[in-house]
């Protein structure tokens, strides 16, 4: 009985009897079959697939052996003949080789050629049956991989950076020439263990770093380093050098590769950086000295000029006026000297009550010389008449520390261009005491502890009010690790003697002494805000006493959605807003919020954080909400205060600082819901040919005159001092006409936040509906040096009319009447 499987026997029979079966096998599994007559070698059958593989028409071929022998590479033909001879002599020797053919288009085809001799009864070979398999694609891939490997090897060996591959056990599995040099000229074959003599040191103590800080151990744990600088030594007898280390983990790497590490010797650059940072304080002092010298020169020049005029004048009235001017300048010099002495702590500081506007004005004069011209320095005071109670010299010192920190962060990272110092009144900060106490980035002075605050509030329903000074930048921001250690004494991100690490500690010391609070908010990659809360003062020179707490505005069951990723803050806000009489629902991300809103559009208001996990942040969420539901009210909230109207893009909405006092939160919610329900009254004004005119004018006196003249003529007008606030108003309620000064000055210097910026935003960057708002450009500075083409530029940007100062009220009113009448007719 045969051992052959019945299906195998059946298949052989089908091949012999059914040509379709043989054709299927030939076409489906092979790239050509040939059958060679060894007794008459010129004759050889080649299947159609054989010739099609090389790009020839099988019908043109005569089944002659010479036809393919002229296509095969000569050296490969010799290999095939050698193997053929061995196979014909010994059946156990396989006829199997890879050969190359020239195709009809001149390209090369790689073929695996296999065959078996058919023998007669005496064992003599009479035929040779063979098959081809096209392996061209495989060979091309092998060649490409080989070329890439050689190319990468050349790159690695010529690179100045050390490139090292580490496996899961921490062994070096691949390394380039520079890497071997970095590791002390090691010549061991890979893989080999990381050399024990290589150590990373603390830059201050020169002792080995702890395991949690060691870069190699961090890399093996899966951390990706991004250009971190470490002090490395090969052994204790050689001077250490600074190296910059970057790494990237490898997923399912070949040969167990876990991570690729790149090291660069940055010792020279680091020494230069240290030298620069060591002198940065002296540079700042030099800039400060230059600014003070400039101020004193101005004062002396004024005194000298006034005295000379007084000496030469013939009238008593003029002499008195000139002498008064000289005395005023002398008084200004005395004030400047006092500020310098207080700042230098050469006279004892005492707690005083001082107008916030005056504090900010004096600090601005102190800060301006310290900031590079390519950085924008903004100051904002939200109230016109409120006072602060503290040692104002120490307050200026604290603000200067924060300003220099922000400046240095921007300059070191190359990210950011703006620092904003802001002062605002805070009516109460006690109700979120528990939340703030749990946060590592909030530092509460002893005088603000929970028991003392709540005792006063419960007994009399009163609370202390505070002034908040904030310094915000749009620089690189802080990582969580740096933020958590920010006020630790002697902690600094500068690994040199230039950073003492005492800056924020001294600021916190001032806050404690002032019985206030320090808050640090930072979004990595976006910027940092540091906020100081200090007690309010009074005109009489004392600390303000607790004031009556006004009842919060109550809701009527409106539905509010809170989008906040921080659990404790989300819970606190939910409880607080629920107590205000609203129906509250919460989610932890923008993605969740958008999915919920798409299913349930019955929310009246969305309060959203700006930076959240996922791909939908607060600004993107607001844009999507407005696209789906244009009438839904939105409020932003963030601890970082550096966001501008431009960052909000298409959806301009109120921005609350976290944590937000309940009274401010309640009022903002009530206003947002009320605004959502109101209709614009401007249709009535248009029908009566009256206009709502928005004015941008930095000269307060002239702006008031413009507004009064328009209102006397029956129009409605609002005046703004810079383009940012003016544009925010445009987005909230589009005016009928915009009248804008072109050049906005601060300390006699043009700033970019002027009329040209406003025109550009309205015409080219904002809501398309705003592009039709008529704009009247006014300027009296277009002939000044550097500003010759201001009015022409305004017209090119899209201004409809231009007026040169001085102009009469009649000129402006005539233009507005024409614009209003034409719009009414339209």
């Amino acid at each position: 009985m045969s051992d052959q499987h019945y299906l195998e026997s059946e298949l052989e029979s089908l091949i012999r009897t059914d040509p379709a079966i043989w054709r299927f096998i030939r076409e489906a599994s092979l790239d050509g079959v040939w059958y060679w007559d060894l007794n008459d070698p010129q004759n050889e059958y080649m299947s159609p697939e054989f010739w099609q593989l090389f790009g020839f028409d099988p019908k043109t071929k005569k089944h002659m052996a010479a036809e393919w022998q002229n296509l095969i590479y000569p050296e490969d033909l010799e290999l095939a003949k050698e193997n053929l001879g061995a196979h014909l002599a010994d059946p156990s020797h396989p006829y199997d080789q890879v050969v190359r053919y020239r195709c009809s288009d001149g390209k090369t085809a790689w073929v695996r050629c296999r065959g078996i001799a058919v023998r007669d009864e005496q064992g003599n070979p009479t035929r040779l049956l063979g098959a081809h398999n096209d392996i061209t694609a495989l060979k091309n891939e092998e060649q490409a991989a080989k070329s890439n490997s050689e190319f990468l090897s050349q790159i690695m060996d010529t690179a100045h950076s050390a490139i090292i591959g580490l496996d899961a056990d921490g062994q070096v599995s691949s390394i380039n020439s520079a890497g071997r040099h970095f590791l002390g000229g090691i010549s061991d074959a890979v893989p080999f263990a990381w050399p024990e003599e290589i150590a990373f040191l603390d830059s201050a103590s020169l002792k080995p770093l702890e395991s949690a800080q060691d870069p190699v151990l961090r890399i093996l744990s899966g951390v990706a380093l991004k250009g971190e600088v470490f002090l490395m030594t090969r052994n204790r007898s050689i001077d250490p050098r600074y190296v910059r280390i970057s790494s990237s983990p490898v997923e399912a790497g070949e040969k167990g590769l876990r991570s690729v590490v790149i090291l660069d010797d940055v010792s020279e650059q680091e020494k230069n950086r240290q030298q620069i940072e060591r002198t940065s304080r002296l540079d700042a002092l030099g800039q400060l000295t230059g600014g003070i010298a400039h101020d004193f020169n101005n004062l002396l020049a004024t005194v000298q000029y006034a005295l000379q005029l007084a000496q030469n004048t013939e009238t008593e009235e003029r002499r008195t006026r000139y002498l008064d001017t000289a005395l005023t300048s002398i008084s200004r010099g005395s004030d400047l000297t006092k500020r310098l002495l207080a700042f230098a702590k050469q006279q004892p500081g005492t707690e005083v009550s001082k107008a916030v506007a005056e504090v900010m004005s004096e600090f601005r004069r102190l800060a301006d010389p310290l900031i590079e011209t390519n950085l924008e320095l903004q100051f904002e005071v939200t109230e016109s008449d409120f006072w602060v109670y503290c040692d104002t010299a120490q307050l200026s010192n604290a603000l200067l520390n924060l300003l220099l920190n922000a400046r240095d962060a921007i300059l070191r990272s190359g990210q950011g261009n703006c620092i904003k110092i802001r002062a605002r009144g805070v009516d109460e900060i006690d109700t979120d005491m528990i939340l703030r106490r749990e946060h590592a980035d909030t530092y509460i002075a002893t005088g603000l502890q929970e028991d003392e605050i709540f005792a006063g509030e419960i007994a009399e329903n009163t609370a202390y009010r505070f002034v908040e000074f904030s310094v915000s930048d749009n620089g690189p921001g802080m990582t969580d690790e740096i933020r958590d250690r920010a006020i630790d004494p002697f902690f600094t991100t500068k690994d040199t003697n230039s950073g003492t690490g005492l800056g924020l500690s001294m600021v916190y010391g001032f806050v404690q002494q002032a019985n206030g609070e320090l808050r640090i908010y930072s979004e990595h990659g976006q910027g940092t805000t540091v906020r100081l809360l200090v007690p309010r003062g009074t005109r009489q020179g004392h600390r303000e006493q607790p004031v009556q707490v006004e009842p919060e505005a109550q809701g009527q069951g409106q539905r509010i959605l809170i989008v906040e990723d921080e659990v404790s803050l989300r819970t606190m806000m939910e409880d607080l807003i629920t107590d205000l009489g609203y129906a509250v629902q919460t989610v932890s991300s923008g993605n969740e919020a958008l999915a919920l809103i798409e299913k349930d559009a019955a929310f009246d208001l969305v309060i959203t954080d700006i930076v959240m996990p996922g791909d939908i942040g607060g600004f993107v969420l607001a844009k999507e909400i407005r696209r789906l539901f244009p009438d839904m009210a939105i409020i932003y909230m963030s601890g970082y205060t550096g966001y501008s109207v431009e960052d909000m893009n298409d959806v301009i909405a109120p921005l609350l600082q976290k944590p937000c006092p309940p009274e401010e939160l309640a009022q903002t919610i009530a206003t947002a819901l009320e605004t959502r329900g109101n209709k614009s009254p401007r249709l009535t004004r248009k029908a009566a040919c009256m206009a709502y005119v928005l004015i941008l004018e930095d000269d307060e006196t002239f702006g008031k005159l413009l507004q009064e003249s328009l209102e006397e003529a029956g129009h409605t007008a609002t005046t703004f001092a810079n383009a940012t606030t003016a544009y925010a108003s445009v987005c909230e309620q589009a005016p009928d006409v915009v009248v804008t000064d072109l050049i906005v000055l601060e300390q006699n210097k043009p700033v970019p936040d002027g009329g040209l910026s406003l025109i550009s935003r309205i015409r080219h960057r904002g809501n398309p509906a705003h592009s039709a708002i008529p704009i009247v450009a006014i300027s009296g500075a277009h002939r000044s040096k550097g500003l010759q083409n201001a009015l022409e530029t305004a017209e090119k940007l899209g201004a409809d009319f231009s007026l040169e100062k001085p102009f009469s009220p009649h000129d402006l009113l005539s233009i507005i009447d024409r614009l209003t009448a034409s719009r009414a007719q339209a």
Side-chain angles (χ1 to χ4, degrees):
M1 181 176 179
S2 174
D3 293 335
Q4 186 179 32
H5 194 280
Y6 77 95
L7 289 177
E8 181 183 5
S9 176
E10 182 178 314
L11 179 59
E12 290 176 352
S13 176
L14 283 172
I15 293 174
R16 288 193 297 269
T17 59
D18 189 344
I21 298 298
W22 159 240
R23 187 165 56 252
F24 170 78
I25 293 175
R26 185 190 71 203
E27 294 176 352
S29 60
L30 301 172
D31 294 307
V33 173
W34 44 271
Y35 194 47
W36 196 8
D37 186 349
L38 297 179
N39 294 327
D40 188 4
Q42 66 177 346
N43 293 314
E44 182 177 1
Y45 166 77
M46 281 80 74
S47 70
E49 294 80 18
F50 181 99
W51 294 113
Q52 290 167 353
L53 171 62
F54 306 132
F56 294 99
D57 184 357
K59 295 178 181 179
T60 64
K61 299 302 177 180
K62 300 178 180 180
H63 299 290
M64 306 296 291
E67 292 177 309
W68 64 264
Q69 291 177 0
N70 291 332
L71 300 177
I72 194 171
Y73 277 55
E75 57 270 32
D76 294 349
L77 179 60
E78 293 302 318
L79 174 63
K81 288 179 177 179
E82 182 180 338
N83 280 337
L84 176 61
H87 176 67
L88 295 180
D90 180 5
S92 64
H93 184 90
Y95 182 69
D96 188 350
Q97 61 271 314
V98 174
V99 295
R100 293 164 294 168
Y101 284 84
R102 292 186 180 89
C103 300
S104 62
D105 59 3
K107 295 182 179 179
T108 298
W110 289 81
V111 175
R112 183 181 182 188
C113 178
R114 290 173 290 178
I116 184 171
V118 178
R119 302 174 186 271
D120 58 18
E121 294 178 354
Q122 289 74 34
N124 298 318
T126 60
R127 303 283 189 273
L128 187 65
L129 174 63
H132 278 177
N133 288 103
D134 182 11
I135 60 170
T136 304
L138 177 61
K139 280 294 183 180
N140 288 341
E141 291 175 0
E142 288 180 356
Q143 186 61 41
K146 182 180 179 182
S147 298
N148 288 337
S149 178
E150 293 174 350
F151 179 64
L152 291 175
S153 296
Q154 291 175 357
I155 292 177
M156 288 186 63
D157 287 336
T158 57
H160 294 292
S161 301
I163 305 175
I164 301 173
L166 299 178
D167 64 19
D169 298 324
Q171 290 201 321
V172 177
S173 59
S174 59
I175 187 171
N176 67 344
S177 300
R180 290 184 179 278
H181 174 72
F182 257 79
L183 299 186
I186 193 167
S187 59
D188 297 1
V190 293
F192 59 84
W194 183 269
E196 294 182 357
E197 61 269 21
I198 299 295
F200 296 92
L201 309 179
D202 179 82
S203 59
S205 65
L206 297 183
K207 294 181 179 180
L209 294 176
E210 298 179 358
S211 299
Q213 298 173 314
D214 186 280
V216 175
L217 296 179
R218 290 170 60 195
I219 290 169
L220 292 175
S221 68
V223 176
L225 302 185
K226 297 182 179 180
E228 297 185 26
V229 176
F230 296 89
L231 192 60
M232 189 188 87
T233 180
R234 286 199 288 263
N235 59 60
R236 295 301 178 87
S237 62
I238 298 179
D239 289 338
R241 53 182 172 168
Y242 286 96
V243 295
R244 180 184 293 112
I245 303 180
S246 300
S247 69
S248 178
V250 177
E251 298 294 337
E254 295 183 4
K255 301 179 181 179
L257 185 64
R258 172 64 63 87
S259 187
V260 175
V261 186
I262 299 177
L263 301 92
D264 290 289
D265 189 342
V266 293
S267 298
E268 198 63 32
Q269 298 96 309
E270 187 66 16
K271 290 177 182 178
N272 292 336
R273 186 187 68 81
Q274 291 176 10
Q275 183 63 34
I276 292 171
E277 290 193 349
R278 286 190 186 101
T279 58
S280 64
R281 298 293 180 182
L282 292 176
D283 291 340
L285 181 59
Q287 293 178 44
L288 178 61
T289 304
I292 297 302
H294 176 268
D295 287 346
F296 270 114
N297 277 335
N298 286 342
L299 292 174
L300 291 174
T302 302
V303 172
Q304 180 184 12
Y305 198 68
L307 291 177
Q308 287 176 344
L309 290 174
Q311 189 177 31
N312 297 328
T313 188
E314 297 179 355
T315 66
E316 186 66 27
E317 185 271 331
R318 287 188 176 183
R319 183 180 294 107
T320 301
R321 178 155 52 88
Y322 294 145
L323 291 176
D324 287 343
T325 300
L327 289 173
T328 301
S329 297
I330 293 172
S331 178
R332 287 172 54 204
S334 176
D335 290 341
L336 180 59
T337 302
K338 291 177 182 177
R339 290 202 307 272
L340 288 172
L341 291 176
F343 179 75
K345 297 184 178 179
Q346 294 178 2
Q347 62 181 30
T350 57
E351 292 181 335
V352 296
S353 184
K354 195 169 187 177
V356 173
E358 186 179 352
V359 171
M360 292 286 278
S361 177
E362 291 177 354
F363 180 68
R364 178 164 200 162
R365 291 196 292 271
L366 187 68
D368 273 336
L370 302 179
I371 300 302
E372 283 70 7
T373 56
N374 61 328
L375 298 184
E376 181 182 358
L377 187 59
Q378 298 180 0
F379 285 80
E380 180 184 356
V381 180
T382 61
E383 299 180 29
S384 60
D385 186 26
F386 66 127
W387 298 62
V388 62
Y389 183 79
C390 67
D391 182 341
T392 53
Q394 289 196 42
L395 173 61
S396 295
N397 196 11
L399 291 174
L400 187 60
N401 263 298
L402 299 180
L403 176 65
L404 294 177
N405 282 349
R407 181 201 67 176
D408 293 345
I410 291 175
L411 295 181
R412 284 201 311 271
S413 66
Q415 176 181 338
N417 63 350
C418 180
I419 303 173
K420 182 177 181 179
I421 295 93
R422 183 171 186 252
R424 67 166 186 150
V426 179
D427 288 343
E428 51 177 321
I429 62 172
D430 48 297
T431 51
D432 58 343
M433 179 67 69
I434 297 175
L435 173 67
R436 299 197 325 278
R437 188 177 56 186
E438 294 173 352
H439 285 208
D441 56 357
T442 301
Y443 306 94
I444 309 168
T446 305
L448 282 180
Q449 292 303 319
E450 183 178 357
D451 291 343
E452 178 181 338
I453 295 294
F454 278 132
E457 183 182 16
I458 294 172
E460 303 177 15
N461 194 33
T462 60
Y464 281 109
R465 298 193 300 176
F466 293 81
V467 179
E468 179 189 271
F469 295 89
S470 63
V471 178
S472 299
D473 64 73
N474 61 351
M478 301 182 190
T479 63
D480 292 342
E481 179 183 9
I482 291 176
R483 187 180 60 197
D484 290 343
R485 297 187 59 193
I487 71 162
D488 291 354
F490 305 107
F491 174 76
T492 176
T493 56
K494 309 170 188 177
D495 298 326
T496 71
N497 294 330
S498 68
T500 64
L502 292 174
L504 275 176
S505 298
M506 295 171 64
V507 173
Y508 179 43
F510 157 69
V511 166
Q512 285 187 310
Q513 180 181 346
N515 198 24
E517 180 175 313
L518 168 69
R519 300 174 180 174
I520 302 174
Y521 299 89
S522 189
E523 301 291 355
H524 191 46
Q526 297 196 41
T528 298
T529 295
V530 182
R531 292 149 64 179
L532 310 178
L533 286 95
V534 289
R536 279 207 189 200
T538 65
R539 290 178 176 272
Q540 291 73 34
H542 306 292
R543 178 178 180 177
E544 184 184 70
Q545 293 301 307
V547 297
Q548 192 75 20
V549 177
E550 298 295 330
E552 293 92 359
Q554 295 294 308
Q556 298 178 347
Q558 295 96 325
R559 292 190 64 195
I560 296 178
L561 177 64
I562 300 174
V563 190
E564 169 61 55
D565 61 308
E566 190 174 336
V567 177
S568 57
L569 181 57
R570 186 171 67 242
T571 302
M572 185 272 293
M573 290 193 65
E574 180 180 11
D575 293 343
L576 182 59
I577 297 176
T578 300
D579 290 342
L580 292 174
Y582 299 100
V584 180
Q585 192 166 348
T586 65
V587 292
S588 61
S589 71
N591 299 75
E592 290 181 58
L594 187 58
L596 179 61
I597 291 172
E598 287 175 340
K599 293 179 182 178
D600 181 2
F603 291 103
D604 299 286
L605 169 67
V606 175
I607 303 176
T608 178
D609 193 6
I610 294 175
V611 178
M612 297 175 288
D615 56 351
I616 298 181
F619 294 143
V620 175
L621 175 62
K623 184 175 181 179
E624 288 299 306
I625 291 173
R626 283 289 164 83
R627 180 180 62 84
L628 296 170
F629 308 104
D631 292 333
M632 191 174 293
I634 295 171
I635 295 175
Y636 300 118
M637 59 182 180
S638 175
Y640 171 62
T641 61
Y643 295 113
S644 65
V645 172
E646 286 80 2
D647 296 321
M648 297 182 188
N649 296 318
D650 298 330
V651 184
I652 310 299
L655 173 60
L656 294 176
Q657 296 183 14
K658 296 191 297 186
C660 178
E663 182 181 353
E664 182 180 354
L665 176 63
Q667 187 58 51
T668 304
I669 291 175
T671 302
L673 292 173
E674 180 182 357
T675 303
R676 174 178 178 265
N678 287 342
K679 301 298 181 181
S680 173
R682 295 200 323 275
L683 289 175
T684 305
R685 294 201 302 272
K686 290 179 184 177
C689 292
M690 294 296 101
Y692 165 47
V693 182
L694 183 145
I695 302 169
L696 169 58
E697 173 58 59
D698 64 322
D699 188 309
E700 183 178 357
T701 302
F702 187 61
K704 288 182 178 179
L705 290 174
L706 287 176
Q707 182 170 337
E708 289 174 3
S709 66
L710 290 170
E711 290 175 346
E712 287 178 3
H715 301 293
T716 303
T718 307
T719 305
F720 298 91
N722 59 68
T724 299
T725 54
Y727 182 66
S729 179
V730 170
C731 295
E732 185 176 342
Q733 181 179 11
D736 298 298
V737 180
V738 170
V739 176
T740 177
D741 192 6
L742 298 183
I743 308 302
V744 173
L745 300 179
E746 289 186 5
Q747 295 192 347
N748 296 321
K749 297 179 181 178
V751 297
D753 201 24
L756 295 176
S757 173
L758 178 61
I759 297 171
S760 177
R761 295 182 200 185
I762 294 174
R763 287 287 186 259
H764 307 292
R765 294 169 54 188
N767 188 325
H770 297 161
S771 62
I773 298 174
I775 299 176
V776 181
I778 60 176
S779 180
H782 68 290
R783 289 200 181 100
S784 300
K785 184 178 180 180
L787 302 171
Q788 295 91 337
N789 301 316
L791 288 175
E792 294 179 10
T793 302
E795 292 176 356
K796 291 178 181 179
L797 288 173
D800 299 281
F801 291 91
S802 60
L803 283 174
E804 179 181 346
K805 296 179 182 177
F807 54 84
S808 69
H810 175 75
D811 296 334
L812 179 60
L813 289 171
S814 296
I815 292 175
I816 292 178
D817 288 342
R818 268 189 288 163
L819 292 172
T820 306
S822 62
R823 295 196 74 181
Q825 292 172 2

